[in-house]
Amino acid sequence: MLQPSPSPTAGLRGDYSRMQADWTVPQDPRRYGAEEQDIWRTLLRRQSGLARQHACPQFLGGLAQLDIDERIPDFSQVSDALARRTGWRVVGVPGLIPDDVFYGHLAHRRFPVTVWIRRRDELDYLVEPDLFHDFFGHVPLLADPVFADYMQAYGQRGVEAGAANIHRLARLYWYTVEFGLIRSEEGVKVFGAGIISSAKETLYAIGSPVPARIAFDAGRVMRTAYEIDKLQRTYFVLDDFRQLFDATQVDFPPLYAALARQPEIPTGTVLPHERLIAAAALPQAA
């Protein structure tokens, strides 16, 4: 959801004409037609099947707790369910929004979700995040108390970061919330929304021998460049979500100062001392 361009809405796909001062828009779940509902249903069936095999237990628990089914969710109903569990709410937005607005919403336990859904010819890939990516990929984990607390803490750090350091926080979001992996009793599992909402990336992230899977270290993550239009060459693997929350509880100004004195690490690079995590053995049919 982070805005990649300093221009507020130029070239973006959503309808920004109805947004409020905080960049939110009403969802109106009745506006979705039969084609949009069928696209949601198609994506949900495909990704839910993959999630049952490869997503972390916390994500699967969130899917069940929020009772996500084959109709595009009503944000207000889901917000009520989330609020009872972790105090979070879902707010509709036209699409990508500026960094400061995004961080402000997170800091107040509001998760922005795009109100439009992709076309049928975009089932496998689209450039901007849509309703399916934002909702299916992100919202279930907000039902997990530790992850929910991390997201608020991350938003607060974003509000505090300043322009000189925002790119480092964006890397932390990219390699965790969007493309993170986590250990479980059944092996390495997916929790990042960019993986979980993509069939191709799910199988690649878990089973391909190509990418480096590196044990999570926040400073290392914040030094690592990423690419937005390719399968990732680096993934970071958490031991648990508490480790992720703890990463937001350090004194950030000295951390930023230390990182500024160190070189950027290209994606796909493995440093000599780093502990790598092996790919999973996937069923032959995958």
Side-chain angles (χ1 to χ4, degrees):
M1 181 60 67
L2 299 181
Q3 165 71 286
S5 167
S7 175
T9 61
L12 298 181
R13 181 162 161 181
D15 178 6
Y16 291 80
S17 63
R18 299 182 300 135
M19 68 184 187
Q20 304 298 311
D22 62 358
W23 291 68
T24 62
V25 294
Q27 182 204 16
D28 187 7
R30 298 168 300 177
R31 67 182 285 271
Y32 301 108
E35 172 68 359
E36 292 166 310
Q37 294 287 358
D38 191 60
I39 289 169
W40 168 270
R41 183 164 50 252
T42 299
L43 289 166
L44 183 73
R45 289 176 178 177
R46 182 179 73 180
Q47 293 309 124
S48 293
L50 285 170
R52 284 191 289 272
Q53 298 178 64
H54 304 300
C56 66
Q58 296 91 333
F59 179 87
L60 298 176
L63 277 180
Q65 291 170 30
L66 299 178
D67 196 25
I68 296 171
D69 61 23
E70 295 194 343
R71 289 193 62 80
I72 292 174
D74 182 327
F75 293 179
S76 63
Q77 292 179 2
V78 173
S79 290
D80 291 343
L82 268 180
R84 290 191 293 271
R85 289 169 171 80
T86 60
W88 275 80
R89 299 195 70 82
V90 174
V91 294
V93 291
L96 289 166
I97 59 178
D99 289 345
D100 59 337
V101 178
F102 180 73
Y103 290 131
H105 281 301
L106 296 188
H108 291 88
R109 296 179 96 90
R110 298 188 298 261
F111 192 82
V113 173
T114 301
V115 295
W116 56 265
I117 193 166
R118 69 192 73 182
R119 301 187 304 267
R120 191 170 295 278
D121 63 343
E122 300 171 313
L123 288 182
D124 293 318
Y125 177 78
L126 75 167
V127 176
E128 296 177 38
D130 71 333
L131 186 153
F132 184 79
H133 168 88
D134 286 347
F135 194 100
F136 181 84
H138 288 289
V139 173
L141 275 177
L142 295 175
D144 177 78
V146 179
F147 188 85
D149 286 347
Y150 163 67
M151 288 293 282
Q152 181 183 27
Y154 176 86
Q156 291 170 336
R157 294 305 188 184
V159 171
E160 301 161 358
N165 298 306
I166 209 72
H167 69 291
R168 301 193 188 281
L169 270 186
R171 290 170 176 173
L172 184 59
Y173 190 92
W174 183 267
Y175 280 117
T176 61
V177 180
E178 290 292 354
F179 290 96
L181 301 175
I182 189 169
R183 295 177 183 275
S184 78
E185 293 181 357
E186 298 177 352
V188 174
K189 297 292 184 179
V190 172
F191 76 90
I195 308 175
I196 246 164
S197 61
S198 165
K200 185 175 183 180
E201 188 110 25
T202 296
L203 297 177
Y204 171 84
I206 290 292
S208 172
V210 174
R213 299 172 189 83
I214 301 170
F216 176 82
D217 174 86
R220 165 65 156 98
V221 170
M222 295 169 76
R223 292 175 59 198
T224 307
Y226 61 83
E227 298 170 312
I228 66 171
D229 57 350
K230 299 176 182 176
L231 294 170
Q232 299 303 297
R233 288 186 279 169
T234 298
Y235 299 97
F236 291 93
V237 184
L238 292 173
D239 292 326
D240 54 49
F241 284 139
R242 176 58 59 178
Q243 182 186 18
L244 192 57
F245 176 76
D246 289 346
T248 65
Q249 303 305 299
V250 301
D251 189 3
F252 267 62
L255 174 60
Y256 290 142
L259 292 173
R261 296 191 293 269
Q262 300 177 56
E264 179 178 281
I265 301 172
T267 183
T269 301
V270 178
L271 302 180
H273 65 280
E274 288 184 320
R275 176 165 57 101
L276 298 183
I277 290 86
L282 298 181
Q284 194 66 35

